[in-house]
Amino acid sequence: MIYDSYAMYLCDWYRARDQDHAHSLTLRSFLSRNRLMITHHAVILFVLVPVAQLKQQHTLLYKVNGVLTLATFLCCRILLFPFMYWSYGHQQGLSLLQVPFHIPFFCNVANAFLIAPQIYWFSLLCRKALRLFDTPQAKKDG
């Protein structure tokens, strides 16, 4: 999370430098413009990671967070691609199934490369969630 935040700052700093902005990108201006993303990273780093390290996986907070993570990952990282194709098709008067044949081939290839790791990571999250919620009966009775 620290690396992600630092990388975001560097990207903004280089972008501001390349655009010859009269004002320099200060840490304060970066934090104020990216308040939500920085808060997201801070909560994960300072709340959710310690909960996981303290073996608190059995708590309701951990389980609710897991379900919300699955739902937001599915909506924002996987369903984004069919929505993008549907939206383009809607603008062009095409059905969802016609869109891949009416856009440049490299766009489909690029989207395939982008969605493949998302699907893989989502499958890992689902496996983790199944292990969390699927405790064997022997352990429950033991």
Side-chain angles (χ1 to χ4, degrees):
M1 293 299 134
I2 293 170
Y3 172 78
D4 282 351
S5 299
Y6 181 66
M8 286 176 10
Y9 174 76
L10 284 180
C11 288
D12 275 3
W13 185 79
Y14 280 110
R15 187 177 308 121
R17 191 184 75 170
D18 289 343
Q19 294 175 353
D20 273 344
H21 283 240
H23 67 282
S24 63
L25 183 67
T26 63
L27 184 59
R28 178 176 286 174
S29 67
F30 170 75
L31 292 174
S32 68
R33 281 196 337 265
N34 296 289
R35 188 175 299 132
L36 185 61
M37 186 59 74
I38 297 300
T39 303
H40 158 79
H41 282 85
V43 167
I44 288 174
L45 183 63
F46 297 115
V47 176
L48 300 178
V49 170
V51 166
Q53 286 175 349
L54 296 173
K55 304 292 184 205
Q56 299 296 310
Q57 289 90 341
H58 63 282
T59 64
L60 181 62
L61 173 65
Y62 188 85
K63 292 177 181 179
V64 168
N65 179 64
V67 169
L68 290 174
T69 300
L70 283 174
T72 55
F73 196 98
L74 177 66
C75 292
C76 298
R77 292 205 175 185
I78 302 219
L79 295 180
L80 172 72
F81 289 90
F83 174 76
M84 182 174 56
Y85 276 60
W86 173 84
S87 180
Y88 177 81
H90 184 71
Q91 288 179 342
Q92 300 297 318
L94 302 169
S95 74
L96 178 64
L97 297 176
Q98 292 174 318
V99 170
F101 303 105
H102 286 84
I103 61 175
F105 177 72
F106 71 88
C107 291
N108 291 316
V109 171
N111 284 329
F113 276 108
L114 290 172
I115 198 171
Q118 306 302 325
I119 292 172
Y120 173 70
W121 294 327
F122 185 70
S123 71
L124 293 178
L125 288 172
C126 288
R127 280 191 225 145
K128 175 78 173 173
L130 284 175
R131 282 196 309 266
L132 181 65
F133 289 106
D134 187 34
T135 56
Q137 189 65 29
K139 281 187 178 180
K140 289 181 184 176
D141 294 340

